[in-house]
Amino acid sequence: MKIMILGAGGVGGYLGARFLRAVEPDVTLVARGAHLDKIRQEGLTILEDTERYTVHPAHATDDPEGLGLFDLILVTLKDTDLDDGLERIRNNVGPQTVILPLLNGVEYRPRILKRYPQADVLEGCIYILSNIVEPGVIRKKGKIFRLCWGKEGFDPADYRPIVELFDRALPRHKPTAEIAYEQWKKFLFISPMAVLTSIYKVPMDRIAQEHADELRELTEEIAALAQAKGVPLTRQDVEATLEQAAKVLPGAKTSMQLDIERNKPAEIEALAGYVVREGDRLGVKVPTMEKLYRALRLRTSE
Ligand SMILES: NC(=O)C1=CN([C@@H]2O[C@H](COP(=O)(O)OP(=O)(O)OC[C@H]3O[C@@H](n4cnc5c(N)ncnc54)[C@H](OP(=O)(O)O)[C@@H]3O)[C@@H](O)[C@H]2O)C=CC1
Ligand SMILES: CC(C)(CO)C(=O)C(=O)O
């Protein structure tokens, strides 16, 4: 299988390395800048638990144009880079190409299908703590790993080679036709956490301890929005998410918080602005998110 990782950073680089270790040699890593240079010179190094391993992709590039059609493209860019990144793969997408976006946020499938209607575009989400710590080096923290993927009406039997690859290469994954529910469940966790960790500049465990009221308000607002969109998130999902928030790895930060700390473009629109706009469109009140979204916008434009 010919695989491309579009955005071989914390998430994508880790997944690409797992595929390469599972003896899937045809993996192309798309990255840029010093990180790409290092991958080309020395390979991509992963630090995981007490292990350190280095993999060498078939290709490492910032311009996949000449590499032909791919069977599977994992999109692991930040939302802020998505349009530019998608433009770069225009010569790599054919009718047999499966595109799996794993960005935080919801509703990537329609956005990608609009550009590549010929492709088989899925939806996905991932729970992982994994970041570039220096060019060419990714650290995956803790045991957390869960990847859900699929689409409505999806039958995993139609995707045997991908299921087999993921079975071999990943700690765990869930192919599912209930992907909207899984994605919104992840959104229920990450949208409030990303917003609150970025506003209060403390790790996730302290948000659960010190800002429990706002965490609950945001989580309930998002559950109400999901319900208005026909996604069956329940009161139990809200409570389970809040319990999960109370048990996160101490000191762990969200990827949006890290981006803001590093003065990088942050996924504010995908994780907060989206909730405000959809709330407005569907008549769902999201006052806490509105207030914090405004504060985040102000803070990042300073
Ligand atoms: N990190 C985490 O633990 C988790 C992240 N997520 C989500 O996963 C997605 C990816 O996040 P993450 O892995 O942290 O992001 P990273 O920034 O670590 O990785 C993305 C990589 O893609 C590169 N890139 C961006 N645009 C291009 C381009 N046009 N051409 C080539 N390379 C490009 C980036 O380069 P550059 O650095 O120069 O921008 C970066 O190396 C986000 O939606 C995030 O919210 C979800 C779960 C956990
Ligand atoms: C909270 C976490 C680490 C969970 O996967 C995440 O999705 C992020 O920081 O973007």
Side-chain angles (χ1 to χ4, degrees), residues 7-12 30-32 35 61-62 76-79 81 84-85 88 102-104 126-132 186 255 264 267 271:
V11 173
V30 179
R32 64 185 175 191
H35 185 55
T61 181
D62 56 6
T76 48
L77 298 160
K78 292 275 164 57
D79 174 72
D81 289 317
D84 178 52
R88 280 164 198 271
L102 291 173
L103 300 81
N104 274 328
I126 184 165
Y127 296 80
I128 186 172
L129 269 165
S130 186
N131 295 97
I132 299 175
K186 166 88 202 263
S255 52
K264 292 187 74 174
E267 294 176 302
L271 295 178

Side-chain angles (χ1 to χ4, degrees), residues 24-176:
E24 185 65 50
D26 202 347
V27 177
T28 292
L29 300 182
V30 179
R32 64 185 175 191
H35 185 55
L36 173 62
D37 293 343
K38 209 61 180 196
I39 297 173
R40 279 180 167 152
Q41 289 154 13
E42 297 174 17
L44 175 66
T45 296
I46 306 293
L47 310 176
E48 181 176 11
D49 298 325
T50 52
E51 218 189 336
R52 177 188 183 102
Y53 55 93
T54 298
V55 294
H56 298 273
H59 303 276
T61 181
D62 56 6
D63 181 11
E65 190 180 339
L67 295 178
L69 298 180
F70 280 74
D71 300 309
L72 173 63
I73 300 180
L74 292 196
V75 184
T76 48
L77 298 160
K78 292 275 164 57
D79 174 72
T80 46
D81 289 317
L82 183 62
D83 291 327
D84 178 52
L86 287 178
E87 180 54 30
R88 280 164 198 271
I89 59 168
R90 63 189 178 283
N91 290 332
N92 311 114
V93 181
Q96 86 289 10
T97 306
V98 174
I99 302 182
L100 173 56
L102 291 173
L103 300 81
N104 274 328
V106 290
E107 296 178 1
Y108 285 108
R109 184 166 184 263
R111 200 160 145 195
I112 299 175
L113 266 178
K114 206 162 159 193
R115 197 179 277 256
Y116 296 117
Q118 76 273 34
D120 183 0
V121 183
L122 306 181
E123 288 277 16
C125 64
I126 184 165
Y127 296 80
I128 186 172
L129 269 165
S130 186
N131 295 97
I132 299 175
V133 284
E134 62 182 84
V137 182
I138 287 169
R139 177 180 292 283
K140 149 99 167 59
K141 288 191 194 152
K143 293 278 171 234
I144 168 176
F145 187 94
R146 185 157 187 265
L147 189 157
C148 301
W149 62 289
K151 67 179 174 185
E152 222 183 293
F154 167 90
D155 181 352
D158 298 335
Y159 294 82
R160 271 271 286 284
I162 300 179
V163 172
E164 283 171 9
L165 169 71
F166 287 4
D167 282 347
R168 270 202 331 245
L170 304 179
R172 68 196 70 83
H173 72 103
K174 180 178 174 187
T176 175

